[in-house]
Amino acid sequence: MWIADGWKDYEVLDSSEGEKLERWGRYVLRRPDPQVIWSTEKKLPEWKKLNGHYHRSKSGGGEWEFHDLPKEWTIQYQIGAGQKASDGDCTLTFHLKPFAFKHTGLFPEQAVNWSWFYPLIRQAKGAGREVRVLNLFAYTGGATIAAAAAGGAVTHVDASKGMVTWAKENAVSSGLEEAPIRWLVDDCMKFVEREIRRGRKYEAIIMDPPSYGRGPKGELWKLEELVFPLLQKCSELLSDAPLFLLINSYTTGLQPAVLSYMLHTAVLKGRKGTVSAEEIGLPVSSNGLVLPCGASGRITFD
């Protein structure tokens, strides 16, 4: 398992009975998590001393209950820390705010992937290589600003105008307002098809597709039906000297072995490179265990 254990401003304090207890900077939130099917004694006082609690409804959805929680706050992630000094350090700043469907605007487990590709981009740039990065389903831009901080020229694509605006705020707060980032509100599949027709190429591709969603014009997205064709199309966008490709999944059916098989058959093919796929997770402070948070598949090209 790849574990996002580099956080100082975030931690999973505990987990029990379908919920996880988290510290986001100074604030403690209690949110549902379908992976937490165990029941353990809730010894930590933070279970009752909360700033926010998302209550799931039996009929679907849910609502937040707040206690002295600001409408918006920030946390930081030090990327490059603990790696080679030549890789450089950079502080990424993220704006958080609780909104519908229990989210806060950040998936902290993805830090394990940011810390993986950050030195790859920096080393390639240091060797004089061009690194054009395509980030699909880019959400609030965690991967975008990590790639831009490393020196990549990033194309950020998401179907939600609000998420793209949020990502821009994160970039500005991280000191990347002048970074070469293209911000696009678009349906990811249609954008990829247009980029193929335009003859555009990228050295790196990142994608974090949802299980289900709609594009800006109501385009329907079902992961199991469309993810393999999307990977095939993305393969056409890779340059003659690609650096890496990363895909994330929060869908139960797309286990690491499935991601690995798709990457081998849709992307690697005649190219030289290494495919790896693992669960990703977050350490739990109370017991030293790891909370599983989906899976990632990676290709590092030779």
Side-chain angles (χ1 to χ4, degrees):
M1 181 182 286
W2 294 323
I3 302 171
D5 56 4
W7 282 98
K8 294 182 179 179
D9 277 5
Y10 172 86
E11 65 178 315
V12 179
L13 300 169
D14 201 3
S15 60
S16 181
E17 298 179 333
E19 294 183 307
K20 56 188 173 185
L21 186 68
E22 306 163 288
R23 178 182 63 83
W24 298 80
R26 296 170 49 198
Y27 305 103
V28 175
L29 302 183
R30 181 172 171 176
R31 298 191 297 157
D33 190 317
Q35 298 274 17
V36 182
I37 60 174
W38 49 86
S39 177
T40 54
E41 188 177 354
K42 298 175 181 177
K43 296 181 179 180
L44 295 182
E46 287 88 349
W47 279 108
K48 295 182 179 179
K49 297 179 181 179
L50 299 168
N51 298 106
H53 186 183
Y54 187 86
H55 299 275
R56 185 175 294 283
S57 170
K58 293 182 180 179
S59 59
E63 62 180 3
W64 281 98
E65 175 187 2
F66 299 123
H67 307 281
D68 298 320
L69 184 71
K71 291 183 178 180
E72 183 174 322
W73 71 102
T74 62
I75 62 172
Q76 295 182 327
Y77 183 74
Q78 190 78 11
I79 197 165
Q83 302 178 32
K84 295 179 182 178
S86 59
D87 289 341
D89 290 351
C90 182
T91 300
L92 309 181
T93 299
F94 302 100
H95 291 258
L96 304 176
K97 49 189 173 184
F99 65 108
F101 307 110
K102 76 179 181 180
H103 295 307
T104 62
L106 184 68
F107 293 100
E109 61 272 13
Q110 286 301 322
V112 71
N113 286 319
W114 310 335
S115 293
W116 166 71
F117 65 67
Y118 181 83
L120 294 179
I121 296 173
R122 284 192 62 85
Q123 291 161 13
K125 290 291 292 181
R129 293 180 59 184
E130 184 175 21
V131 184
R132 295 162 293 188
V133 182
L134 174 60
N135 187 12
L136 299 170
F137 310 96
Y139 195 50
T140 59
T144 292
I145 64 175
V154 186
T155 298
H156 173 110
V157 186
D158 195 273
S160 168
K161 183 177 180 180
M163 294 300 105
V164 173
T165 299
W166 195 335
K168 290 180 181 179
E169 294 172 356
N170 286 334
V172 170
S173 296
S174 299
L176 296 166
E177 60 269 26
E178 300 300 326
I181 304 173
R182 285 200 299 161
W183 304 101
L184 301 173
V185 178
D186 207 338
D187 175 79
C188 288
M189 180 69 87
K190 290 184 177 179
F191 174 79
V192 167
E193 291 171 343
R194 289 198 301 273
E195 290 289 88
I196 292 172
R197 293 195 294 270
R198 293 167 182 148
R200 295 265 177 83
K201 298 292 181 180
Y202 296 88
E203 282 66 47
I205 298 177
I206 301 164
M207 62 181 78
D208 198 355
S211 299
Y212 179 87
R214 291 189 179 274
K217 296 182 180 179
E219 301 91 341
L220 184 62
W221 168 270
K222 290 184 178 180
L223 183 67
E224 291 88 346
E225 296 177 6
L226 297 175
V227 66
F228 188 74
L230 177 62
L231 276 171
Q232 289 177 309
K233 293 179 186 298
C234 284
S235 179
E236 297 182 50
L237 290 180
L238 288 168
S239 72
D240 293 335
L243 188 60
F244 69 85
L245 184 143
L246 167 68
I247 181 170
N248 299 304
S249 169
Y250 290 92
T251 300
T252 305
L254 265 67
Q255 298 297 327
V258 176
L259 294 176
S260 177
Y261 203 100
M262 289 196 301
L263 291 175
H264 272 102
T265 55
V267 183
L268 192 60
K269 294 187 284 189
R271 298 184 174 100
K272 293 183 178 180
T274 301
V275 173
S276 54
E278 293 282 354
E279 284 187 276
I280 57 175
L282 290 160
V284 181
S285 301
S286 63
N287 55 25
L289 300 178
V290 177
L291 181 66
C293 303
S296 294
R298 304 168 176 171
I299 301 179
T300 306
F301 297 98
D302 297 340

PDB file of all heavy atoms in Angstrom, residues 166-188:
ATOM      1  N   TRP A 166     -12.030  27.293  -7.598  1.00  0.00           N
ATOM      2  CA  TRP A 166     -11.424  26.887  -6.322  1.00  0.00           C
ATOM      3  C   TRP A 166      -9.953  26.512  -6.531  1.00  0.00           C
ATOM      4  O   TRP A 166      -9.074  26.875  -5.744  1.00  0.00           O
ATOM      5  CB  TRP A 166     -12.207  25.709  -5.773  1.00  0.00           C
ATOM      6  CG  TRP A 166     -11.990  25.346  -4.338  1.00  0.00           C
ATOM      7  CD1 TRP A 166     -10.885  25.588  -3.564  1.00  0.00           C
ATOM      8  CD2 TRP A 166     -12.921  24.640  -3.502  1.00  0.00           C
ATOM      9  NE1 TRP A 166     -11.063  25.073  -2.305  1.00  0.00           N
ATOM     10  CE2 TRP A 166     -12.303  24.493  -2.241  1.00  0.00           C
ATOM     11  CE3 TRP A 166     -14.190  24.119  -3.702  1.00  0.00           C
ATOM     12  CZ2 TRP A 166     -12.925  23.826  -1.181  1.00  0.00           C
ATOM     13  CZ3 TRP A 166     -14.813  23.470  -2.643  1.00  0.00           C
ATOM     14  CH2 TRP A 166     -14.188  23.335  -1.403  1.00  0.00           C
ATOM     15  N   ALA A 167      -9.668  25.766  -7.609  1.00  0.00           N
ATOM     16  CA  ALA A 167      -8.296  25.360  -7.906  1.00  0.00           C
ATOM     17  C   ALA A 167      -7.402  26.569  -8.160  1.00  0.00           C
ATOM     18  O   ALA A 167      -6.239  26.598  -7.742  1.00  0.00           O
ATOM     19  CB  ALA A 167      -8.287  24.425  -9.112  1.00  0.00           C
ATOM     20  N   LYS A 168      -7.936  27.562  -8.844  1.00  0.00           N
ATOM     21  CA  LYS A 168      -7.169  28.787  -9.082  1.00  0.00           C
ATOM     22  C   LYS A 168      -6.795  29.458  -7.758  1.00  0.00           C
ATOM     23  O   LYS A 168      -5.678  29.969  -7.600  1.00  0.00           O
ATOM     24  CB  LYS A 168      -7.976  29.761  -9.949  1.00  0.00           C
ATOM     25  CG  LYS A 168      -8.149  29.336 -11.399  1.00  0.00           C
ATOM     26  CD  LYS A 168      -8.968  30.369 -12.161  1.00  0.00           C
ATOM     27  CE  LYS A 168      -9.188  29.980 -13.606  1.00  0.00           C
ATOM     28  NZ  LYS A 168     -10.017  30.990 -14.327  1.00  0.00           N
ATOM     29  N   GLU A 169      -7.733  29.476  -6.810  1.00  0.00           N
ATOM     30  CA  GLU A 169      -7.463  30.061  -5.492  1.00  0.00           C
ATOM     31  C   GLU A 169      -6.335  29.307  -4.789  1.00  0.00           C
ATOM     32  O   GLU A 169      -5.465  29.920  -4.151  1.00  0.00           O
ATOM     33  CB  GLU A 169      -8.735  30.037  -4.641  1.00  0.00           C
ATOM     34  CG  GLU A 169      -9.849  30.931  -5.157  1.00  0.00           C
ATOM     35  CD  GLU A 169     -11.152  30.730  -4.399  1.00  0.00           C
ATOM     36  OE1 GLU A 169     -11.193  29.828  -3.510  1.00  0.00           O
ATOM     37  OE2 GLU A 169     -12.123  31.449  -4.676  1.00  0.00           O
ATOM     38  N   ASN A 170      -6.337  27.979  -4.904  1.00  0.00           N
ATOM     39  CA  ASN A 170      -5.267  27.190  -4.305  1.00  0.00           C
ATOM     40  C   ASN A 170      -3.915  27.501  -4.940  1.00  0.00           C
ATOM     41  O   ASN A 170      -2.890  27.567  -4.250  1.00  0.00           O
ATOM     42  CB  ASN A 170      -5.574  25.696  -4.438  1.00  0.00           C
ATOM     43  CG  ASN A 170      -6.671  25.226  -3.499  1.00  0.00           C
ATOM     44  OD1 ASN A 170      -6.891  25.811  -2.445  1.00  0.00           O
ATOM     45  ND2 ASN A 170      -7.358  24.165  -3.884  1.00  0.00           N
ATOM     46  N   ALA A 171      -3.923  27.698  -6.258  1.00  0.00           N
ATOM     47  CA  ALA A 171      -2.672  28.021  -6.951  1.00  0.00           C
ATOM     48  C   ALA A 171      -2.130  29.373  -6.493  1.00  0.00           C
ATOM     49  O   ALA A 171      -0.926  29.520  -6.230  1.00  0.00           O
ATOM     50  CB  ALA A 171      -2.898  28.020  -8.458  1.00  0.00           C
ATOM     51  N   VAL A 172      -3.012  30.357  -6.374  1.00  0.00           N
ATOM     52  CA  VAL A 172      -2.581  31.691  -5.933  1.00  0.00           C
ATOM     53  C   VAL A 172      -2.027  31.619  -4.514  1.00  0.00           C
ATOM     54  O   VAL A 172      -0.966  32.186  -4.213  1.00  0.00           O
ATOM     55  CB  VAL A 172      -3.749  32.696  -6.012  1.00  0.00           C
ATOM     56  CG1 VAL A 172      -3.388  34.017  -5.342  1.00  0.00           C
ATOM     57  CG2 VAL A 172      -4.133  32.938  -7.472  1.00  0.00           C
ATOM     58  N   SER A 173      -2.722  30.918  -3.623  1.00  0.00           N
ATOM     59  CA  SER A 173      -2.276  30.802  -2.237  1.00  0.00           C
ATOM     60  C   SER A 173      -0.949  30.055  -2.119  1.00  0.00           C
ATOM     61  O   SER A 173      -0.214  30.233  -1.145  1.00  0.00           O
ATOM     62  CB  SER A 173      -3.337  30.098  -1.393  1.00  0.00           C
ATOM     63  OG  SER A 173      -4.517  30.869  -1.328  1.00  0.00           O
ATOM     64  N   SER A 174      -0.643  29.227  -3.114  1.00  0.00           N
ATOM     65  CA  SER A 174       0.609  28.473  -3.118  1.00  0.00           C
ATOM     66  C   SER A 174       1.725  29.219  -3.837  1.00  0.00           C
ATOM     67  O   SER A 174       2.799  28.646  -4.070  1.00  0.00           O
ATOM     68  CB  SER A 174       0.386  27.097  -3.768  1.00  0.00           C
ATOM     69  OG  SER A 174      -0.569  26.339  -3.053  1.00  0.00           O
ATOM     70  N   GLY A 175       1.463  30.467  -4.212  1.00  0.00           N
ATOM     71  CA  GLY A 175       2.478  31.272  -4.880  1.00  0.00           C
ATOM     72  C   GLY A 175       2.685  30.909  -6.338  1.00  0.00           C
ATOM     73  O   GLY A 175       3.741  31.177  -6.905  1.00  0.00           O
ATOM     74  N   LEU A 176       1.659  30.320  -6.965  1.00  0.00           N
ATOM     75  CA  LEU A 176       1.788  29.837  -8.341  1.00  0.00           C
ATOM     76  C   LEU A 176       0.887  30.592  -9.317  1.00  0.00           C
ATOM     77  O   LEU A 176       0.512  30.068 -10.361  1.00  0.00           O
ATOM     78  CB  LEU A 176       1.464  28.336  -8.388  1.00  0.00           C
ATOM     79  CG  LEU A 176       2.422  27.438  -7.609  1.00  0.00           C
ATOM     80  CD1 LEU A 176       1.844  26.045  -7.440  1.00  0.00           C
ATOM     81  CD2 LEU A 176       3.772  27.373  -8.308  1.00  0.00           C
ATOM     82  N   GLU A 177       0.554  31.851  -8.969  1.00  0.00           N
ATOM     83  CA  GLU A 177      -0.334  32.612  -9.849  1.00  0.00           C
ATOM     84  C   GLU A 177       0.270  32.876 -11.221  1.00  0.00           C
ATOM     85  O   GLU A 177      -0.452  33.077 -12.203  1.00  0.00           O
ATOM     86  CB  GLU A 177      -0.740  33.939  -9.194  1.00  0.00           C
ATOM     87  CG  GLU A 177       0.416  34.862  -8.853  1.00  0.00           C
ATOM     88  CD  GLU A 177       0.936  34.643  -7.454  1.00  0.00           C
ATOM     89  OE1 GLU A 177       0.782  33.520  -6.917  1.00  0.00           O
ATOM     90  OE2 GLU A 177       1.492  35.596  -6.881  1.00  0.00           O
ATOM     91  N   GLU A 178       1.602  32.866 -11.323  1.00  0.00           N
ATOM     92  CA  GLU A 178       2.270  33.108 -12.604  1.00  0.00           C
ATOM     93  C   GLU A 178       2.717  31.799 -13.265  1.00  0.00           C
ATOM     94  O   GLU A 178       3.364  31.841 -14.317  1.00  0.00           O
ATOM     95  CB  GLU A 178       3.486  34.015 -12.396  1.00  0.00           C
ATOM     96  CG  GLU A 178       3.157  35.381 -11.814  1.00  0.00           C
ATOM     97  CD  GLU A 178       2.220  36.186 -12.701  1.00  0.00           C
ATOM     98  OE1 GLU A 178       2.328  36.056 -13.945  1.00  0.00           O
ATOM     99  OE2 GLU A 178       1.373  36.927 -12.162  1.00  0.00           O
ATOM    100  N   ALA A 179       2.410  30.667 -12.662  1.00  0.00           N
ATOM    101  CA  ALA A 179       2.829  29.381 -13.227  1.00  0.00           C
ATOM    102  C   ALA A 179       2.084  29.112 -14.537  1.00  0.00           C
ATOM    103  O   ALA A 179       0.955  29.573 -14.737  1.00  0.00           O
ATOM    104  CB  ALA A 179       2.549  28.259 -12.235  1.00  0.00           C
ATOM    105  N   PRO A 180       2.699  28.360 -15.443  1.00  0.00           N
ATOM    106  CA  PRO A 180       2.056  28.065 -16.740  1.00  0.00           C
ATOM    107  C   PRO A 180       0.957  27.015 -16.593  1.00  0.00           C
ATOM    108  O   PRO A 180       1.170  25.830 -16.858  1.00  0.00           O
ATOM    109  CB  PRO A 180       3.224  27.562 -17.597  1.00  0.00           C
ATOM    110  CG  PRO A 180       4.190  26.979 -16.610  1.00  0.00           C
ATOM    111  CD  PRO A 180       4.064  27.825 -15.377  1.00  0.00           C
ATOM    112  N   ILE A 181      -0.217  27.473 -16.150  1.00  0.00           N
ATOM    113  CA  ILE A 181      -1.356  26.575 -15.975  1.00  0.00           C
ATOM    114  C   ILE A 181      -2.497  27.051 -16.871  1.00  0.00           C
ATOM    115  O   ILE A 181      -2.878  28.224 -16.827  1.00  0.00           O
ATOM    116  CB  ILE A 181      -1.836  26.545 -14.515  1.00  0.00           C
ATOM    117  CG1 ILE A 181      -0.698  26.151 -13.560  1.00  0.00           C
ATOM    118  CG2 ILE A 181      -3.010  25.567 -14.363  1.00  0.00           C
ATOM    119  CD1 ILE A 181      -1.068  26.259 -12.092  1.00  0.00           C
ATOM    120  N   ARG A 182      -3.030  26.147 -17.675  1.00  0.00           N
ATOM    121  CA  ARG A 182      -4.243  26.429 -18.461  1.00  0.00           C
ATOM    122  C   ARG A 182      -5.432  25.903 -17.677  1.00  0.00           C
ATOM    123  O   ARG A 182      -5.496  24.729 -17.327  1.00  0.00           O
ATOM    124  CB  ARG A 182      -4.203  25.731 -19.825  1.00  0.00           C
ATOM    125  CG  ARG A 182      -3.296  26.346 -20.857  1.00  0.00           C
ATOM    126  CD  ARG A 182      -3.713  25.897 -22.267  1.00  0.00           C
ATOM    127  NE  ARG A 182      -3.632  24.455 -22.448  1.00  0.00           N
ATOM    128  CZ  ARG A 182      -4.260  23.794 -23.422  1.00  0.00           C
ATOM    129  NH1 ARG A 182      -5.059  24.430 -24.272  1.00  0.00           N
ATOM    130  NH2 ARG A 182      -4.109  22.486 -23.539  1.00  0.00           N
ATOM    131  N   TRP A 183      -6.405  26.781 -17.399  1.00  0.00           N
ATOM    132  CA  TRP A 183      -7.574  26.400 -16.621  1.00  0.00           C
ATOM    133  C   TRP A 183      -8.763  26.221 -17.565  1.00  0.00           C
ATOM    134  O   TRP A 183      -9.193  27.179 -18.210  1.00  0.00           O
ATOM    135  CB  TRP A 183      -7.899  27.481 -15.592  1.00  0.00           C
ATOM    136  CG  TRP A 183      -6.773  27.819 -14.668  1.00  0.00           C
ATOM    137  CD1 TRP A 183      -5.939  28.896 -14.736  1.00  0.00           C
ATOM    138  CD2 TRP A 183      -6.359  27.074 -13.513  1.00  0.00           C
ATOM    139  NE1 TRP A 183      -5.033  28.872 -13.702  1.00  0.00           N
ATOM    140  CE2 TRP A 183      -5.272  27.768 -12.929  1.00  0.00           C
ATOM    141  CE3 TRP A 183      -6.805  25.897 -12.906  1.00  0.00           C
ATOM    142  CZ2 TRP A 183      -4.626  27.328 -11.782  1.00  0.00           C
ATOM    143  CZ3 TRP A 183      -6.171  25.453 -11.767  1.00  0.00           C
ATOM    144  CH2 TRP A 183      -5.095  26.160 -11.207  1.00  0.00           C
ATOM    145  N   LEU A 184      -9.315  25.018 -17.640  1.00  0.00           N
ATOM    146  CA  LEU A 184     -10.378  24.742 -18.604  1.00  0.00           C
ATOM    147  C   LEU A 184     -11.576  24.063 -17.946  1.00  0.00           C
ATOM    148  O   LEU A 184     -11.418  23.095 -17.197  1.00  0.00           O
ATOM    149  CB  LEU A 184      -9.850  23.846 -19.729  1.00  0.00           C
ATOM    150  CG  LEU A 184      -8.664  24.397 -20.536  1.00  0.00           C
ATOM    151  CD1 LEU A 184      -8.137  23.337 -21.488  1.00  0.00           C
ATOM    152  CD2 LEU A 184      -9.083  25.636 -21.308  1.00  0.00           C
ATOM    153  N   VAL A 185     -12.765  24.579 -18.249  1.00  0.00           N
ATOM    154  CA  VAL A 185     -14.016  23.940 -17.837  1.00  0.00           C
ATOM    155  C   VAL A 185     -14.522  23.177 -19.053  1.00  0.00           C
ATOM    156  O   VAL A 185     -14.923  23.764 -20.056  1.00  0.00           O
ATOM    157  CB  VAL A 185     -15.056  24.987 -17.386  1.00  0.00           C
ATOM    158  CG1 VAL A 185     -16.369  24.296 -17.004  1.00  0.00           C
ATOM    159  CG2 VAL A 185     -14.519  25.819 -16.238  1.00  0.00           C
ATOM    160  N   ASP A 186     -14.471  21.850 -18.968  1.00  0.00           N
ATOM    161  CA  ASP A 186     -14.798  21.058 -20.156  1.00  0.00           C
ATOM    162  C   ASP A 186     -15.099  19.622 -19.754  1.00  0.00           C
ATOM    163  O   ASP A 186     -14.711  19.168 -18.669  1.00  0.00           O
ATOM    164  CB  ASP A 186     -13.617  21.078 -21.144  1.00  0.00           C
ATOM    165  CG  ASP A 186     -14.052  20.885 -22.594  1.00  0.00           C
ATOM    166  OD1 ASP A 186     -15.152  20.337 -22.820  1.00  0.00           O
ATOM    167  OD2 ASP A 186     -13.286  21.269 -23.499  1.00  0.00           O
ATOM    168  N   ASP A 187     -15.785  18.906 -20.626  1.00  0.00           N
ATOM    169  CA  ASP A 187     -15.973  17.477 -20.494  1.00  0.00           C
ATOM    170  C   ASP A 187     -14.654  16.801 -20.856  1.00  0.00           C
ATOM    171  O   ASP A 187     -14.098  17.040 -21.939  1.00  0.00           O
ATOM    172  CB  ASP A 187     -17.089  17.004 -21.425  1.00  0.00           C
ATOM    173  CG  ASP A 187     -17.251  15.505 -21.411  1.00  0.00           C
ATOM    174  OD1 ASP A 187     -17.863  14.982 -20.477  1.00  0.00           O
ATOM    175  OD2 ASP A 187     -16.725  14.852 -22.351  1.00  0.00           O
ATOM    176  N   CYS A 188     -14.142  15.970 -19.972  1.00  0.00           N
ATOM    177  CA  CYS A 188     -12.788  15.438 -20.151  1.00  0.00           C
ATOM    178  C   CYS A 188     -12.659  14.551 -21.393  1.00  0.00           C
ATOM    179  O   CYS A 188     -11.666  14.649 -22.125  1.00  0.00           O
ATOM    180  CB  CYS A 188     -12.364  14.668 -18.902  1.00  0.00           C
ATOM    181  SG  CYS A 188     -12.017  15.749 -17.488  1.00  0.00           S
TER     182      CYS A 188
END
